[in-house]
Amino acid sequence: MKVTLTQFVTLDGVSQGPGSPAEDPSDGFTRGGWLVPHLDELFVRRTSQWMDLADGLLLAGLVDTLRLVVAPTATGAGRRLLDQPGTAVGFRLVRSEATATGLLLLEYEPGTAAVAEYQGVGAFV
């Protein structure tokens, strides 16, 4: 069985309350609904799952594919994806797409180590 996880995040990594202000007001979070202004046909066609166990599944190495939907906004507060201290997790990008409203649809698979020696800018030129 292949496990695919789809997670919605802001540019500053917040994954709490993407659908509405009332969706998840835990810890006094009042900035929900940040994803809604960016929804379009492409987004609806490409995404289908929502899981609340993201951190645990990722850190336990139980996810075969990670899909991130990154909204072009920053909330400045809220629960973040992978907000728990733990083992570093590395992924490699296998697909990316941008919607007309600015959402980034990113697909990752487990990859190399999350931490490596800095190779300098020359390594990327």
Side-chain angles (χ1 to χ4, degrees):
M1 174 173 68
K2 185 175 182 179
V3 176
T4 299
L5 172 67
T6 300
Q7 187 71 34
F8 309 109
V9 297
T10 62
L11 288 174
D12 58 345
V14 173
S15 61
Q16 184 174 0
S20 78
E23 179 179 355
D24 183 358
S26 61
D27 299 323
F29 184 68
T30 60
R31 299 175 184 176
W34 46 263
L35 181 65
V36 177
H38 308 288
L39 297 180
D40 65 7
E41 258 183 67
L42 177 60
F43 170 79
V44 173
R45 194 169 58 242
R46 296 277 188 207
T47 60
S48 64
Q49 297 179 348
W50 175 266
M51 296 180 71
D52 291 328
L53 303 174
D55 288 5
L57 292 171
L58 287 169
L59 295 174
L62 299 176
V63 174
D64 299 300
T65 304
L66 171 62
R67 292 183 183 143
L68 293 179
V69 179
V70 182
T73 190
T75 65
R79 189 175 52 252
R80 291 172 177 10
L81 178 64
L82 297 176
D83 201 15
Q84 304 169 11
T87 307
V89 180
F91 289 91
R92 66 181 181 83
L93 184 66
V94 294
R95 188 172 140 197
S96 64
E97 192 168 357
T99 70
T101 60
L103 290 174
L104 293 178
L105 310 178
L106 307 173
E107 186 170 311
Y108 292 92
E109 291 178 350
T112 59
V115 179
E117 289 292 320
Y118 178 65
Q119 299 298 316
V121 175
F124 299 102
V125 178

